[in-house]
Amino acid sequence: MSEKILVIYTGGTIGMVPGEKGYEPKKGYLKTLLAERIPELKARELPSFDVLEYSPLLDSSNMTPWDWFKIAKDIYEHYSSYQGFVVLHGTDTMAYTASAVAFLLQGLGKPVIFTGSQIPLIETRNDARENLIASFLLAREKDLKEVVICFGNKLLRGVRASKVDADSFAAFASPNFPPLGEVGIELKINKELLLPPLREECKLRVKQITIPNLLIFPLFPGFSGETLEQLIATQDVQMVILETFGSGNAPEDNKAFLRALEKGREKGILFVNRTQCLKGKVRPQAYATGQVLTHLGVLPAWDMTREALVSKLICAYSEKGLSFVPRALNSNWCGEVTF
Ligand code: ASP
C-alpha cells in the first residue's frame, strides 16, 4: 500500500490570504504556501502527500450537506491509494462535516483527520503549522480507523466535537467524551478509547444523501409556543430538534407549545429532545417537565452534540426515510452517543 496521504483542501482560514473584504481563499496557492511556510513537510518523519483542491474553496459557513457528501465520496474513491486522509476545513462548521463524514462512510478502516486553523498559515504567528504537522503524523497512525478532529493540541472524535471558542487556538471541545489523544511533547493516543477494528470482511461504503427540512427550536424562559405552532402549521417540516433545558425539560404549562407538538405529531413530524447544556444528557424520566415531552412522542437525543445530531438525522433520513430515524437515534453508529 502507498505510504502517501491525501490532503483534501476544502477551504477555511488555514489557506486564506488577506484580500479586499478580509481573509479569503486563494485558488491553486496551497502547495506553494505549504512549501514556503512549512519546509519541514519534506522531512523523512512526515508522510509524502498529494493535494486534492476543491473548487470553489469554501468558507465553511457556506457549506451544505452536499459538501459533506462530496468529501465522503472523495475519500471513498481514493481510499485504496492512500494510507490516510487530512481534510483541511474551516473551523466554523468543521464539527458538522466531521460528524457527517463519519456517518456517511460505513466500514472506515483508515484515519480521516479534520484540521484547520484560527489564524491563516500565511501569517507569521499562526496555529496552522502545528495543527498541520500533527495531522500529517496522525494520518498514518494504523490504529486510528475513524474520523477525528486534530486541533489546538487535542485529538477529538469527530462525532463528539463542537466548536466552543471563536477566539482561542483551543477552538474545539468534546464535552461528553474524553479526548482520543493529546499533542504535547509526545503525540499521545489513548488507544483504549479508539473505535475497535472492523471485521475482515467489512468493505468501505459511502451512503447517499437527501436533505430533509429540519428545524432547530431553542427554548428560553417565556418563549412563544404560538410561534412554533405557526411554523408547524405553515411549513413543510419533517423533523424538529427542540433544544430544551437541563436534562431535557420544557414548560409543561405552555399550552400553545404542547398543542404545537400534538399537531406536529398528527402531521407526521418527528420531534427530538436535545439539551441546550454543553455537557450531560437528556434523562427523559427525571422530571415531570421532561416526561411531558416523552408522552407527546418526543425522542431523546441523549448526549449527542448538536452537530452530530443534525448530521445523524440527515444521514438516517437519507438512508431509509423518516420511519428509520427513531431506530437510528437508539443506536450508536460510531461512538457518537452514550445511552
Ligand atoms: N469562517 C472560517 C471557516 O469556517 C473560519 C475558520 O476557518 O476558522 O471557513
Side-chain angles (χ1 to χ4, degrees):
M1 191 188 55
S2 160
E3 291 292 292
K4 273 188 170 180
I5 62 164
L6 181 65
V7 175
I8 300 180
Y9 176 35
T10 69
T13 296
I14 192 159
M16 290 189 187
V17 296
E20 270 169 26
K21 293 188 283 173
Y23 286 128
E24 55 193 24
K26 184 170 167 182
K27 198 172 171 210
Y29 183 55
L30 186 76
K31 276 194 182 164
T32 316
L33 184 65
L34 290 177
E36 280 174 5
R37 292 283 164 169
I38 328 184
E40 304 91 304
L41 287 181
K42 287 213 190 81
R44 289 231 331 261
E45 309 89 281
L46 291 170
S48 51
F49 61 96
D50 293 325
V51 174
L52 176 63
E53 178 172 316
Y54 281 9
S55 179
L57 290 165
L58 292 175
D59 183 306
S60 75
S61 301
N62 287 324
M63 284 197 174
T64 69
W66 300 119
D67 299 295
W68 306 344
F69 178 67
K70 178 170 168 43
I71 297 168
K73 196 160 136 287
D74 280 330
I75 294 171
Y76 173 77
E77 282 171 1
H78 293 89
Y79 193 66
S80 56
S81 309
Y82 295 94
Q83 64 176 160
F85 300 84
V86 171
V87 182
L88 303 184
H89 194 289
T91 56
D92 289 348
T93 68
M94 187 188 291
Y96 286 93
T97 311
S99 298
V101 169
F103 295 137
L104 288 171
L105 287 174
Q106 201 175 23
L108 184 66
K110 294 183 181 182
V112 174
I113 322 287
F114 274 74
T115 197
S117 67
Q118 295 275 58
I119 302 183
L121 183 55
I122 198 153
E123 299 293 352
T124 309
R125 201 177 68 86
N126 68 71
D127 54 332
R129 187 178 173 282
E130 297 305 318
N131 289 345
L132 263 165
I133 293 179
S135 299
F136 270 50
L137 288 168
L138 289 163
R140 59 171 194 201
E141 184 54 58
K142 295 207 167 40
D143 293 322
L144 206 55
K145 297 168 191 300
E146 55 181 293
V147 178
V148 296
I149 291 183
C150 173
F151 207 99
N153 294 335
K154 277 195 219 133
L155 179 65
L156 307 174
R157 174 163 293 150
V159 289
R160 288 291 195 168
S162 289
K163 183 170 179 181
V164 292
D165 197 329
D167 296 331
S168 109
F169 287 161
F172 291 90
S174 169
N176 285 320
F177 199 77
L180 300 182
E182 259 150 59
V183 184
I185 291 176
E186 279 175 44
L187 207 64
K188 188 168 167 275
I189 298 182
N190 301 323
K191 294 207 169 156
E192 70 289 352
L193 297 176
L194 300 181
L195 290 180
L198 302 160
R199 289 192 313 269
E200 282 278 311
E201 66 277 16
C202 253
K203 280 241 161 54
L204 185 72
R205 185 171 86 84
V206 61
K207 300 182 195 168
Q208 297 298 317
I209 209 146
T210 7
I211 307 180
N213 202 351
L214 173 67
L215 185 78
I216 303 184
F217 192 83
L219 309 191
F220 57 91
F223 75 91
S224 151
E226 283 82 5
T227 304
L228 183 63
E229 217 182 352
Q230 275 246 316
L231 279 169
I232 297 298
T234 56
Q235 302 297 309
D236 180 25
V237 184
Q238 277 95 47
M239 295 181 273
V240 180
I241 299 172
L242 300 171
E243 288 196 335
T244 56
F245 307 122
S247 41
N249 306 317
E252 51 188 332
D253 56 358
N254 185 329
K255 298 259 172 3
F257 172 61
L258 301 180
R259 242 182 359 251
L261 298 187
E262 256 169 52
K263 284 193 196 150
R265 194 150 73 136
E266 282 161 20
K267 262 182 100 175
I269 297 172
L270 195 126
F271 291 91
V272 184
N273 179 3
R274 196 191 88 81
T275 173
Q276 51 189 249
C277 290
L278 180 62
K279 192 170 182 319
K281 68 157 82 146
V282 168
R283 296 178 194 277
Q285 306 304 330
Y287 293 90
T289 46
Q291 286 198 28
V292 71
L293 297 183
T294 309
H295 290 140
L296 287 166
V298 182
L299 301 170
W302 310 107
D303 65 349
M304 261 188 276
T305 60
R306 176 195 268 186
E307 295 87 338
L309 179 61
V310 166
S311 53
K312 189 170 180 178
L313 290 176
I314 294 177
C315 292
Y317 177 89
S318 306
E319 201 179 344
K320 291 190 187 146
L322 198 59
S323 60
F324 176 60
V325 176
R327 188 139 58 92
L329 283 175
N330 268 321
S331 50
N332 186 4
W333 284 358
C334 48
E336 71 278 12
V337 64
T338 325
F339 297 111

